[in-house]
């Protein structure tokens, strides 16, 4: 598709703030003013986010996958391939489907088919990015070998609280060179993408592609299920005027054509449960559905039989209370890990101290996932709060058990502090690349090769001070014996216990596995 060059970007629904450059918060590993280095500890963390593009699979795996598709999946894949091969028409598709209908499989089938087509063209460059796979969170992006929308398009993390910052010409050009041949953007878990970020994706692509059509002339396929929980801190993607009645309020959303997947593709036992979940979402439960769920009810007296199951609660207060209770019950090695905050800039010492004091009062959500203090206990579950490496599965929401703590002494204070944590993640593939990098260390120290090393990272925290920048260095983890319903959405867990409350909504009860 030929693209016209134009500076008149259609950003009617986007507020810009020219005075702030929130792209800086993505720069992990700034050593300037690094208190760890000053005290003799070299724990510098390099920025590892990059354009994560899934690799082409073998012919055998591809053929097996295509044979496994149901009729709707196969027809849709062929439809997209015809549009791609013709290449003269931009298209926008919304794939709607509940739990277990094979949305992730469809993404893989479409992507791998497109990749094979482009690779077969004479003179094709295998490094060219023509199709991108994204999701709103690292937890949702990792299973589909994708990237977060924030990382892919350099969007601000708190996109609902701040105006969108136009990229500097150097950054925009650098990304533009990488994406100059981009034809298709695939976004999974679209229900988690709010109206604001959707507008930002559109505006950012128009800027990067230098083209004043929706999404910069790039076609889009979005997949999801609007029966799930609404986006945090934002309107639904289709709520242009705060209306719940129509899915076409937003002019951007009105471009999308609906396709539906309805056939459950899970194995027999999972299929029955997925159907029951789907019926919860629709308010159409059968007697069999009700009986199935009743069989899974566990009384408070019998919760011990659930072993290592993660507890799911409705509120943060309930989560905090349960986490504290479990931690207190563990009679294992433990330590307190404190964050190191430091100011960079020139100004009065009194202002510096005030800025640092204010930072200590911020919530973890305001410090980009790095808490002020972490109570570490071997045997407790912890969850990643920062997207360290999406390709390696080290993303916000990845859960695992703390098995071992490494310590080092600070040279200036002689204080012994945790410097590396060894986590056994729930999914074996999580941290595989990181483990490979530490393979020799693990062999020499006879460390279990299934453990993943987690080290401190540095993030810049937004402050109101014009004189100082504040950076925090800490482990990107929080205690996770329990989590909220919202936090569990989009995750895959081996075993969970949901604490039922009468006031829970249908969307809160319906959390697709």
């Amino acid at each position: 598709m030929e693209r016209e060059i134009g500076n008149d970007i259609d950003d009617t629904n986007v507020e810009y703030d020219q005075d702030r450059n929130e792209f800086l918060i993505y720069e992990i590993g700034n050593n300037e003013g690094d208190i760890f280095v000053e005290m003799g500890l070299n724990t510098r963390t390099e920025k590892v986010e990059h354009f994560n593009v899934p690799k082409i699979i073998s012919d055998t795996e591809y053929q097996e996958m295509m044979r496994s598709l149901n009729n709707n999946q196969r027809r849709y894949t062929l439809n997209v391939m015809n549009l791609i091969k013709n290449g003269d028409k931009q298209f926008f598709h919304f794939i709607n489907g509940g739990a277990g209908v094979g949305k992730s499989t469809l993404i893989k089938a479409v992507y791998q088919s497109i990749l094979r087509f482009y690779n077969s063209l004479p003179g094709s460059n295998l490094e060219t990015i023509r199709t991108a796979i994204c999701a709103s969170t690292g937890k949702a992006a990792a299973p589909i070998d994708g990237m977060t929308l924030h990382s892919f398009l350099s969007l601000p993390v708190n996109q609902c609280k701040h105006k969108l910052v136009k990229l500097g010409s150097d950054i925009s050009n650098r990304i533009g060179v990488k994406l100059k041949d981009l034809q298709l953007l695939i976004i999974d878990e679209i229900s988690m993408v709010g109206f604001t970020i959707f507008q930002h994706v559109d505006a950012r692509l128009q800027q990067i592609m230098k083209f004043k059509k929706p999404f910069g002339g790039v076609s889009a396929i979005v997949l999801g299920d609007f029966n799930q929980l609404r986006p945090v801190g934002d309107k639904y993607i289709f709520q242009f005027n705060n209306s719940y009645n129509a899915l076409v309020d937003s002019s951007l959303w009105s471009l999308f054509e609906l396709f539906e997947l309805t056939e459950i593709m899970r194995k027999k036992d999972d299929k029955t449960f997925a159907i029951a979940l789907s019926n919860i979402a629709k308010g159409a439960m059968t007697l069999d559905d009700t009986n199935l769920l009743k069989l899974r009810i566990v009384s408070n007296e019998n919760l011990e039989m659930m072993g290592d199951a993660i507890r799911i609660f409705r509120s943060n207060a309930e989560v905090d209370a349960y986490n504290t209770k479990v931690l207190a019950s563990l009679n294992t090695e433990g330590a307190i890990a404190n964050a190191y905050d430091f100011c960079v800039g020139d100004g009065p010492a009194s202002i510096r101290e005030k800025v640092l004091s204010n930072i200590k009062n911020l919530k973890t959500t305001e410090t980009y996932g790095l808490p002020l203090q972490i109570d570490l206990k071997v045997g407790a579950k912890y969850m990643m709060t920062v997207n360290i490496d999406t390709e390696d599965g080290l993303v916000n929401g990845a859960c695992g058990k703390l098995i071992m703590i490494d310590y080092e002494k600070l040279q200036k204070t002689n204080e012994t502090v945790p410097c590396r944590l060894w986590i056994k993640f729930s999914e074996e593939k999580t941290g595989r690349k990181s483990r490979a990098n530490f393979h020799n260390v693990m062999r020499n120290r006879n460390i279990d090769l299934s453990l993943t090393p987690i080290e401190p990272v540095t993030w810049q925290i937004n402050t109101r001070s014009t004189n100082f920048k504040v950076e925090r260095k800490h482990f990107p983890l929080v205690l996770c014996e329990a989590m909220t319903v919202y936090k569990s959405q989009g995750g895959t867990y081996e075993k969970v216990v949901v604490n039922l409350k009468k006031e829970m909504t249908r969307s809160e009860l319906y959390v697709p596995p």
Side-chain angles (χ1 to χ4, degrees):
M1 182 188 301
E2 292 292 327
R3 294 196 174 100
E4 305 168 4
I5 302 299
N7 294 319
D8 184 19
I9 304 304
D10 182 11
D11 52 5
T12 308
N13 296 310
V14 178
E15 291 185 283
Y16 287 108
D17 188 341
Q18 303 290 1
D19 298 324
R20 303 184 57 172
N21 184 0
E22 296 194 23
F23 182 73
L24 291 173
I25 62 177
Y26 290 98
E27 297 300 327
I28 299 177
N30 185 352
N31 251 359
E32 185 178 6
D34 190 335
I35 195 168
F36 275 78
V37 173
E38 290 176 1
M39 294 185 172
L41 289 180
N42 184 14
T43 57
R44 187 171 189 265
T45 305
E46 298 293 341
K47 184 178 184 294
V48 295
E49 281 284 17
H50 58 281
F51 289 111
N52 180 31
V53 180
K55 307 294 187 296
I56 192 166
I57 60 179
S58 69
D59 289 342
T60 300
E61 186 179 352
Y62 175 72
Q63 291 163 9
E64 289 177 356
M65 175 183 64
M66 297 305 290
R67 282 195 293 267
S68 72
L69 301 180
N70 62 34
N71 289 333
N72 284 342
Q73 291 171 320
R74 191 174 297 110
R75 278 198 300 268
Y76 180 77
T77 303
L78 291 173
N79 178 29
V80 171
M81 288 309 301
N82 286 332
L83 290 169
I84 291 292
K85 289 176 181 178
N86 291 333
D88 58 353
K89 180 184 177 183
Q90 189 180 10
F91 61 91
F92 306 95
H93 293 172
F94 166 44
I95 312 298
N96 182 53
V101 297
K103 295 188 293 292
S104 296
T105 300
L106 182 60
I107 290 174
K108 188 174 183 179
V110 167
Y111 182 86
Q112 289 293 330
S113 297
I114 293 173
L115 195 60
R116 275 172 160 70
F117 166 68
Y118 281 125
N119 287 354
S120 69
L121 299 178
S124 64
N125 182 355
L126 300 183
E127 300 300 316
T128 297
I129 300 175
R130 298 181 184 272
T131 302
I133 302 176
C134 294
S136 64
T137 67
K139 183 164 62 173
I144 55 175
D145 295 325
M147 296 182 67
T148 64
L149 286 166
H150 303 82
S151 178
F152 182 59
L153 296 174
S154 297
L155 297 173
V157 173
N158 287 338
Q159 74 280 350
C160 301
K161 295 183 179 179
H162 303 302
K163 298 175 183 178
L164 179 65
V165 182
K166 280 189 176 180
L167 294 177
S169 58
D170 57 336
I171 297 173
S172 179
N173 291 337
R174 190 167 69 242
I175 298 176
V177 169
K178 285 276 191 179
L179 303 182
K180 63 183 177 65
D181 295 311
L182 184 66
Q183 299 293 324
L184 175 64
L185 174 63
I186 299 174
I187 306 176
D188 196 17
E189 298 288 359
I190 195 63
S191 66
M192 300 169 72
V193 177
F195 174 85
T196 305
I197 190 173
F198 203 49
Q199 301 297 321
H200 287 183
V201 169
D202 174 41
R204 186 69 95 219
L205 279 171
Q206 289 192 40
Q207 182 190 3
I208 290 170
M209 307 306 290
K210 295 183 172 64
F211 194 37
K212 57 183 180 180
K213 290 187 68 174
F215 298 102
V218 176
S219 295
I221 299 174
V222 302
L223 305 91
D225 178 7
F226 285 115
N227 286 316
Q228 296 189 48
L229 297 168
R230 64 174 298 149
V232 178
D234 201 357
K235 298 178 290 188
Y236 280 110
I237 203 170
F238 48 78
Q239 281 181 259
F240 184 69
N241 291 315
N242 288 314
S243 168
Y244 288 84
N245 298 321
L247 295 180
V248 292
D249 281 340
S250 165
S251 58
L252 199 58
W253 181 248
S254 66
L255 298 173
F256 284 77
E257 181 182 358
L258 172 66
F259 294 83
E260 289 209 65
L261 295 178
T262 56
E263 183 180 344
I264 304 293
M265 299 296 288
R266 299 282 175 89
K267 294 180 180 178
K268 183 177 179 181
D269 291 343
D270 287 343
K271 182 174 181 178
T272 304
F273 187 60
I275 291 173
L277 280 180
S278 179
N279 289 340
I280 287 178
K282 294 182 291 188
M285 291 186 67
T286 66
L287 181 61
D288 287 342
D289 296 333
T290 303
N291 290 335
L292 175 65
L293 295 179
K294 282 183 176 179
L295 290 174
R296 296 177 181 241
I297 294 176
V298 179
S299 65
N300 288 328
E301 294 75 22
N302 294 324
L303 281 177
E304 299 249 339
M305 63 185 282
M306 299 308 296
D308 280 346
I310 292 177
R311 296 289 294 272
I312 307 294
F313 293 96
R314 191 168 189 252
S315 71
N316 285 314
E318 292 171 299
V319 168
D320 292 342
Y322 185 79
N323 279 335
T324 301
K325 175 184 173 184
V326 172
L327 212 60
S329 70
L330 293 176
N331 187 25
T332 57
E333 176 191 348
I336 299 296
N338 293 304
Y340 288 86
D341 297 334
F342 42 91
C343 278
V344 180
D346 296 322
S350 59
I351 301 297
R352 178 190 295 265
E353 293 305 316
K354 185 175 181 180
V355 169
L356 286 174
S357 176
N358 290 339
I359 290 297
K360 295 185 187 302
N361 295 322
L362 295 180
K363 299 176 182 178
T364 304
T365 53
E366 298 172 303
T367 57
Y368 302 106
L370 299 183
L372 182 63
Q373 187 180 82
I374 308 174
D375 196 346
L376 300 172
K377 277 283 186 77
V378 169
K381 300 186 191 74
Y382 292 85
M383 178 172 61
M384 299 282 295
T385 57
V386 171
N387 295 332
I388 301 299
D389 188 344
T390 304
E391 188 177 3
D392 201 25
L394 295 176
V395 297
N396 180 2
C399 296
K401 184 176 290 187
L402 176 60
I403 303 300
M404 190 170 73
I405 306 172
D406 283 349
Y407 302 88
E408 284 195 35
K409 280 190 176 182
L410 301 179
Q411 291 180 357
K412 291 188 177 181
T413 65
N414 212 31
E415 179 187 3
T416 300
V417 297
C419 65
R420 184 181 296 117
L421 307 178
W422 296 90
I423 305 290
K424 173 84 171 179
F425 282 102
S426 304
E427 296 187 38
E428 187 276 334
K429 65 179 182 179
T430 301
R432 188 178 293 167
K433 187 167 67 175
S434 180
R435 293 194 294 273
N437 292 336
F438 275 79
H439 183 78
N440 290 338
V441 172
M442 297 169 75
R443 285 283 190 188
N444 292 337
R445 294 180 54 192
N446 199 28
I447 294 174
D448 183 347
L449 296 180
S450 67
L451 303 185
T452 300
I454 300 297
E455 297 183 326
V457 299
T458 301
W459 281 74
Q460 184 177 304
I461 300 172
N462 286 333
T463 70
R464 295 179 180 178
S465 171
T466 57
N467 296 326
F468 295 104
K469 295 176 183 177
V470 176
E471 294 183 349
R472 169 168 290 183
K473 190 151 196 170
H474 208 357
F475 296 106
L477 297 168
V478 292
L479 190 60
C480 185
E481 290 292 337
M483 67 176 71
T484 62
V485 175
Y486 265 96
K487 192 64 182 179
S488 71
Q489 182 165 296
T492 300
Y493 308 101
E494 185 176 343
K495 190 188 298 183
V496 298
V497 174
V498 181
N499 192 48
L500 297 176
K501 294 274 186 165
K502 288 184 178 179
E503 60 268 26
M504 291 180 79
T505 66
R506 183 175 295 156
S507 293
E508 289 174 322
L509 289 170
Y510 171 64
V511 181

